[in-house]
Amino acid sequence: MASYFCPCPRGMEAALAEELGEIAQLSTTFKVHNQVPGGVHCSGTMQDAWLVNLHSRIASRVLMRMGQRSYSNENDIYDLVLEQPWEDWFGPDHTIRVDVTAVKSPLKSLEFTTLKIKDAICDRFRDQYNKRPSVNTREPDMRIVGFLDQRNFIIYLDTSGEALFKRGWREETGDAPLRENLAAGLLRVSGWKPGVPLFDPMCGSGTILVEAAQMVQGIPPGARRRFAFEQFADHDRQAWAAMKAAIKPNPLPSEPTIFGSDISGDMVAMTRHNLKVAGILFDVPLKQIEAQHVSAPTAQPGILLTNPPYGERIGVRGDSTVPQDEMALGFYSAFSTTLKQRFAGWTAYLFTADLGLPKMLRLKESRKTPFFNGALECRLFRFDMVAGFNRREGATPSKTETGQN
């Protein structure tokens, strides 16, 4: 049994813990422990780490704890790393990369700390084999991660390799693609489930749609990629192959439930291509149309979830000239009218770094959830599109107008 830490985008910790709880139902040994800012602690066997790598849509990595100790200087860190049996997991011919993150650490230089960790690993191999691993920061075989707080140091071996949001299907992206694990987290937080109509009217390269479509089809996010644990010493290739072979895809839907559109024909073509590369075998209707002109794609109300363009992406806020601001206000005013007139009964979720979005839409959000897209602070705004006039101008909206009962 080992202790693991699964980092995730900030704000997604509760969604990840819920997802890990579902994955734990596939195992008798995997246990989910506590959430902390930036991730979730859990424990289990190495095969449990395989399960999480294969099935988690929200985790960024699966880190295996090698050692933990209080420290007062870099030499304490060196000593702990030197004690770890790295040779049980990989050899001197593998390449390595070391990354360190810190919260309120008294140490002055993370770069120097990173160097001490690398030296300790290399010194251990040199002592045992008279050979040492070389460093490859771009495509390492093995990633070692150190975490420091005020008093404690933890050293991890990364079982994932490349970050888990890299699903293995993306060949090209738009200007500012949403990371796949963030899109999956937004789908979970919105309450969307396969079978519920889903519409992204500003789909870009289609990340939200691909994530949802893979969930409908039962394709695990890690089914099309490789992982660092496949290079670990004594990796059981047969057991890993059996785990992947046990995946049973879901029946294909008979009617479309996932829909997308974008103002750009190139983006629509890219989304169509990405759906195909991601292995989606059912129809996801896509249209080239401006978002303010869309209509509800189904008679049954569902969830509208989108990451609208902002900042330089749309060119409307690149500088402070009035015409560009007016363009943004004009767009959101028209989109708001479309939501009110054509999406009665739907729940609209807009994920954006523009915290003034509800004011531009002249709508009152029923909920706003903070998340981070990398270092960028964002909000997921929820708007309940009840029948009737749902607006924010003038008087304070009534409970009916805000969708509150």
Side-chain angles (χ1 to χ4, degrees), residues 123-142:
D123 287 350
R124 182 172 178 103
F125 276 104
R126 193 184 284 112
D127 290 346
Q128 296 198 20
Y129 302 101
N130 207 26
K131 285 175 70 178
R132 46 152 285 186
S134 57
V135 173
N136 181 338
T137 57
R138 289 179 62 85
E139 294 183 334
D141 299 320
M142 300 293 156

Side-chain angles (χ1 to χ4, degrees), residues 199-203 261 289-296 304-309 314 327-343 347-351 357 360-363 381 383 385 390:
F199 179 39
D200 183 351
M202 293 174 257
C203 68
S261 64
I289 185 172
E290 294 182 55
Q292 61 267 46
H293 296 148
V294 298
S295 298
L304 183 152
L305 173 61
T306 195
N307 174 214
I314 200 170
M327 196 194 307
L329 286 169
F331 165 76
Y332 283 114
S333 175
F335 184 56
S336 172
T337 300
T338 296
L339 289 177
K340 288 181 287 193
Q341 293 181 351
R342 301 178 182 177
F343 286 84
T347 307
Y349 287 88
L350 276 68
F351 180 70
L357 184 74
M360 286 199 289
L361 283 169
R362 303 197 312 278
L363 291 171
F381 291 108
F383 303 96
M385 305 314 301
N390 185 357

Side-chain angles (χ1 to χ4, degrees), residues 70-74 76-77 101-110 113 147-153:
S70 60
Y71 71 96
S72 56
N73 56 46
E74 290 86 357
D76 295 334
I77 289 169
T101 57
V103 177
K104 298 180 180 176
S105 170
L107 299 183
K108 290 186 172 63
S109 170
L110 288 187
T113 305
F147 175 74
L148 301 150
D149 62 17
Q150 280 179 300
R151 295 188 184 86
N152 292 297
F153 169 66

Side-chain angles (χ1 to χ4, degrees), residues 9-67:
R10 281 187 293 164
M12 289 289 174
E13 295 88 354
L16 173 58
E18 181 181 271
E19 180 192 59
L20 291 174
E22 294 168 6
I23 294 171
Q25 295 173 15
L26 305 173
S27 166
T28 58
T29 49
F30 184 57
K31 300 287 184 289
V32 183
H33 303 300
N34 56 315
Q35 300 171 40
V36 295
V40 178
H41 289 285
C42 46
S43 63
T45 65
M46 177 51 61
Q47 293 207 3
D48 292 325
W50 302 353
L51 264 182
V52 178
N53 276 293
L54 182 60
H55 289 287
S56 177
R57 294 191 171 276
I58 301 174
S60 301
R61 299 180 179 279
V62 182
L63 304 177
M64 179 173 62
R65 191 170 73 195
M66 299 290 288

